[in-house]
């Protein structure tokens, strides 16, 4: 059990004078120390976090009304989100020693509301992976069973919350990287609509999919952090201009709703028995509460992963071309001209999975193959968007497991990339369609491994999604 489940609890304790923010930060630092074997943090900002806490404590003493809405919130960030004056490496050797010269808009907004950032956490290299094992810094372990993976790519963000080393962690979700680790670690993980949160300062993997996401213990904190990070930003042309609702004030859900579940997903051969059972129980529970829950067809399920890997590797091959050994981070020392500097820096700097994707992406974009792969995958993406929208004509939400099974043993899927890719089969639909989705901890397997269920809503319906999710927990 985490010591604090919500910011509200922390703020109540601070208000009552039961504790100081400095003591809260110290508590989390102690937790980080005692969970070192899980390899969650790449860097801990201990002194800085303590000193900021002391300043905020003093400020609160003087004028309690002047502190920000996140006063008391201690956050960690995935190593793909920039924080000015701090290192950022995408868990890759290629960015070794690189320091951010600006903060991501999301980080900036959290700091403006007096959040404290306690450290930078591990992830898969360039957020490519489903197990946190492709990191240059080695794998992060699942706190429920340290011999198992935490999921990925925001694996360490999930464990950071699971192991109670911070209240909230920021991850990024391109194909499920917030929701799948949330399900493996028994915490809440939310990916908002594409364009809800500015991507400025988020290291790009596949720009038309990437979104910052939130890992937390409570819907309340998820809603508040989302509300603060969201909205228009002159530094990101793809962010929506839509007004940001007060998500944290709209968490009351009333009435009966219509929920679709994808029948072929629940019958999918890859689905673990305990996960299927958990889904069936949830469906029954929702029906008992008077909601309409019905199975629907979605015959595109098996096309989701191939199309996703064509599109994202294509975008990645372009995005990652900037890491040339000249402009950022690592540069090979045994090169003697420009071309060999590029070649050797990239060969030595990128890990195996990243190289595989750059090559795959370059291939699918090359002339002669472009129409066969890239254009076709774009068409599949459009079909997935249309079919998903068609489901939302009749239903308010779509329910799916977050992953086909629970956390697997470290190393179990490292030799077979395709098997690893298939772990994303239920999460990618939301990224393809650009819709919001949330993973909720709904149970455990007989061995005590967490299981998560996922709810999706139409684009920009975060308010409804969060409020309904709260009724399930
Ligand atoms: N596992 C997926 C991939 O490797 C998703 C990653 C992500 O969402 N960043 O691409």
């Amino acid at each position: 059990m985490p010591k604090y489940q919500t910011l509200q609890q922390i703020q109540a304790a601070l208000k009552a004078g039961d504790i100081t923010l400095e003591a809260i930060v110290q508590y989390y630092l102690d937790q980080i120390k005692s969970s070192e074997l899980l390899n969650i943090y790449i860097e801990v900002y201990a002194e800085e976090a303590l000193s900021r806490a002391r300043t905020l404590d003093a400020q609160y003493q003087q004028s309690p009304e002047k502190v920000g809405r996140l006063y008391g919130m201690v956050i960690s960030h995935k190593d793909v989100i920039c924080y000015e004056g701090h290192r950022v490496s995408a868990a890759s050797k290629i960015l070794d020693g690189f320091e951010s010269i600006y903060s991501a808009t999301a980080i900036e907004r959290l700091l403006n509301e007096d959040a404290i950032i306690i450290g930078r956490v591990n992830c898969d290299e360039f957020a490519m992976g489903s197990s946190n094992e492709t990191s240059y810094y080695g794998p992060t372990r699942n706190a429920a069973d340290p011999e198992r993976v935490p999921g990925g790519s925001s694996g360490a963000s999930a464990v950071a919350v699971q192991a109670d080393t911070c209240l909230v962690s920021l991850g990024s979700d391109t194909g499920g990287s917030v929701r799948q680790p949330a399900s493996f670690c028994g915490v809440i993980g939310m990916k908002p609509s594409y364009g809800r949160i500015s991507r400025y300062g988020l290291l790009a993997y596949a720009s038309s999919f990437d979104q910052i996401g939130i890992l937390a213990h409570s819907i309340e904190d998820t809603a508040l952090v989302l509300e603060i990070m969201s909205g228009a930003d002159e530094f990101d042309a793809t962010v929506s201009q839509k007004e940001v609702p007060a998500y944290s004030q709209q968490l009351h859900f009333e009435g009966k709703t219509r929920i679709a579940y994808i029948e072929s997903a629940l019958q999918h051969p890859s689905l673990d028995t305990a996960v299927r059972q958990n889904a069936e129980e949830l469906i029954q529970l929702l029906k008992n509460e008077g909601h309409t829950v019905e199975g629907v067809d979605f015959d595109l399920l098996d096309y989701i992963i191939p199309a996703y890997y064509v599109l994202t590797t294509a975008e990645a091959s372009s995005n990652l071309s900037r890491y040339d050994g000249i402009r950022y981070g690592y540069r090979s020392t045994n090169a003697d001209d420009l071309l060999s500097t590029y070649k050797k820096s990239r060969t030595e700097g990128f890990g195996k999975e990243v190289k595989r994707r750059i090559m795959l992406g370059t291939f699918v974009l090359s002339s002669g193959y472009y129409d066969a792969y890239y254009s076709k995958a774009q068409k599949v993406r459009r079909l997935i968007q249309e079919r998903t929208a068609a489901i939302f004509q009749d239903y308010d939400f779509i329910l799916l497991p977050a992953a086909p099974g629970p956390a697997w043993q470290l190393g179990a899927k490292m030799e077979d990339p395709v098997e690893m890719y298939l772990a994303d089969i239920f999460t990618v639909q939301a990224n393809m369609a650009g819709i919001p989705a949330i993973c909720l901890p709904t149970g455990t397997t007989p061995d005590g491994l967490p299981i998560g269920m996922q709810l999706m809503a139409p684009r920009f319906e975060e308010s409804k999604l969060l409020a309904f999710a709260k009724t399930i927990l």
Side-chain angles (χ1 to χ4, degrees), residues 386-406:
E386 287 172 358
R387 295 284 176 86
T388 306
I391 298 177
F392 286 130
Q393 292 279 312
D394 298 322
Y395 298 91
D396 303 298
F397 304 106
I398 299 175
L399 172 69
L400 264 184

Side-chain angles (χ1 to χ4, degrees), residues 86-303:
H86 297 76
R87 290 187 174 191
V88 65
S89 79
S92 179
K93 182 175 171 184
I94 198 105
L95 274 170
D96 206 20
F98 178 77
E99 199 176 287
S100 300
I101 51 172
Y102 55 81
S103 287
T105 299
I107 293 277
E108 197 71 51
R109 291 183 180 173
L110 297 176
L111 289 173
N112 286 342
E113 290 291 348
D114 289 339
I116 290 187
I117 302 185
I118 198 162
R120 174 163 65 97
V121 297
N122 205 358
C123 57
D124 279 297
E125 187 179 356
F126 280 99
M128 296 174 184
S130 306
S131 64
N132 214 129
E133 293 169 291
T134 69
S135 168
Y136 174 57
Y137 302 99
T140 296
R141 292 163 181 271
N142 193 318
D145 175 356
E147 291 312 309
R148 290 178 187 265
V149 301
S153 63
S154 315
S157 295
V159 186
V161 175
Q162 178 193 31
D164 204 19
T165 68
C166 55
L167 189 66
V168 166
S169 188
L170 298 187
S172 66
D173 193 313
T174 303
S177 274
V178 162
R179 291 159 288 150
Q180 184 255 23
S183 84
F184 282 15
C185 297
V187 300
I188 295 171
M190 183 187 192
K191 175 201 96 75
S193 307
Y194 182 78
R196 186 67 295 188
I197 300 174
S198 168
R199 290 183 295 109
Y200 181 70
L202 168 66
L203 302 194
Y205 158 17
S207 315
S208 76
F209 293 80
D210 298 340
Q211 266 297 286
I212 289 176
I214 303 155
L215 295 112
H217 293 297
S218 71
I219 297 288
E220 287 83 350
D221 290 351
T222 308
L224 182 61
V225 168
L226 175 67
E227 183 180 321
I228 288 167
M229 293 193 297
S230 294
D233 177 18
E234 59 174 324
F235 297 122
D236 175 4
T238 63
V239 78
S240 169
Q241 303 297 311
K242 254 183 196 298
E243 209 176 302
V244 180
Y247 300 122
S248 61
Q249 307 300 310
Q250 301 174 3
L251 292 176
H252 187 68
F253 189 91
E254 244 178 82
K256 302 300 167 212
T257 180
R258 294 179 60 81
I259 304 159
Y261 63 89
I262 294 173
E263 211 136 22
S264 52
L266 288 198
Q267 274 140 29
H268 206 269
S270 67
L271 197 65
D272 176 89
T273 326
V275 175
R276 178 181 299 120
Q277 217 171 43
N278 188 267
E280 283 164 355
E281 279 164 20
L282 180 59
I283 290 170
Q284 198 49 52
L285 189 94
L286 292 168
K287 281 183 180 166
N288 294 347
E289 281 171 4
H291 302 295
T292 304
V293 193
E294 290 170 348
V296 296
D297 270 352
F298 190 76
D299 53 2
L300 294 171
L301 201 60
D302 288 332
Y303 297 95

